[in-house]
Amino acid sequence: MTFTSDSASTSFSSAFNYSTQPGDVVSSSIAVFKSLSVEDQLAVLWYAYTEMGRSITPAATGAARLQFAEGLLQQIKQMSHAQQLEVMRDLAAKRNTQFSRSYGVLGINTKLAFWYELSELMVKGIVVPVPAGYQISRDGSQVLSTIIGLDFGQQITVLRKVVSDMGIDPFAD
Ligand code: 45D
C-alpha cells in the first residue's frame, strides 16, 4: 500500500469515526446554508456576525491580510446601497462578475476578513442594512440557531466553508 492511499484511508476513517459527533452538525449546517436562497444566506451571515461579534473581534482585528481585500472594500464604499446589495448577492449566487472574480482569488481568511469588514461597515451605516422586517425562512432560522449554538472553532469551520464557496475562482475550469 502506498503512503498516499494509507494516509487517505486514515483520514477517511477518522472522519467516519466522528460521524455521530459534532462534525455532523458542522457539515449539515454547511449543507443547509448552501440550500438557502441568496437573500437568506446574506441574512444568516449577518445575524451570525451580530451574535458572534465579540468573539470574532480579537481574532480578526489587525488582520494584515485585509490589505488584499482593500480594493474591493474601497469599491463597496463608493457604491450606492442598491449596488452594494447587488455585489453581495452576486458573490453568494456565484455570478461571474469582475467583482466575484476578484473576490475568488482571495485566501480563505481574507474572505472571512472581508465579510467581517463589511459587517463593520454595516454597523457604521456605510453598507446597506438588512431591512428591519426581513423574514428569514424556517431553514434559515434553524441553521442560524444551530450556528449560534456551535463552539467558536466549529463556527469558524462553517463560516470558512461558506465564504470560500462564494464568488468565482477564475482559475477553476
Ligand atoms: O433588501 O484572519 C437581504 C479568524 C434582504 C482568524 C438584504 C478570522 C433583501 C484569522 C438580502 C437580507 C479565522 C478567526 C437586503 C480571520 C434586502 C483571520 C441585505 C475570522 C438589504 C479573519 C443583506 C473571521 C445584507 C471571521 C446587507 C469569523 C447582508 C469573520 C450582509 C466572520 C451580510 C465574519 C454581511 C462574518 C455578513 C461576517 C456583511 C460572519 C457578514 C458576516
Side-chain angles (χ1 to χ4, degrees):
M1 192 177 278
T2 68
F3 173 76
T4 311
S5 60
D6 227 3
S7 58
S9 67
T10 302
S11 47
F12 179 78
S13 58
S14 53
F16 180 74
N17 287 339
Y18 284 123
S19 65
T20 55
Q21 297 296 309
D24 250 357
V25 187
V26 167
S27 32
S28 63
S29 299
I30 293 164
V32 174
F33 183 94
K34 287 182 171 185
S35 76
L36 299 175
S37 69
V38 163
E39 280 74 16
D40 269 8
Q41 291 187 17
L42 293 175
V44 167
L45 269 186
W46 164 252
Y47 292 122
Y49 159 83
T50 61
E51 295 294 328
M52 292 173 66
R54 269 187 303 269
S55 34
I56 306 173
T57 311
T61 47
R65 51 182 56 94
L66 211 52
Q67 76 190 69
F68 299 112
E70 201 49 54
L72 293 181
L73 292 166
Q74 284 307 325
Q75 286 181 52
I76 294 233
K77 288 182 201 169
Q78 318 288 318
M79 290 175 184
S80 68
H81 279 185
Q83 289 172 316
Q84 292 169 342
L85 178 58
E86 197 56 27
V87 159
M88 287 187 265
R89 296 167 67 111
D90 287 347
L91 289 176
K94 302 178 70 64
R95 225 166 271 129
N96 194 344
T97 64
Q98 176 62 56
F99 198 98
S100 294
R101 289 193 298 274
S102 305
Y103 173 92
V105 297
L106 301 174
I108 294 186
N109 281 345
T110 307
K111 288 174 178 167
L112 274 180
F114 166 82
W115 284 101
Y116 178 78
E117 193 60 24
L118 279 191
S119 305
E120 296 283 284
L121 294 171
M122 283 172 73
V123 172
K124 292 178 187 153
I126 297 168
V127 165
V128 56
V130 174
Y134 182 73
Q135 285 286 345
I136 201 164
S137 68
R138 172 193 280 258
D139 276 357
S141 20
Q142 270 172 5
V143 78
L144 175 64
S145 40
T146 304
I147 291 171
I148 290 168
L150 297 175
D151 68 41
F152 186 64
Q154 294 172 322
Q155 291 173 335
I156 297 290
T157 304
V158 172
L159 290 171
R160 283 170 69 102
K161 183 66 182 152
V162 304
V163 307
S164 70
D165 285 349
M166 289 179 174
I168 292 284
D169 180 351
F171 302 115
D173 331 278

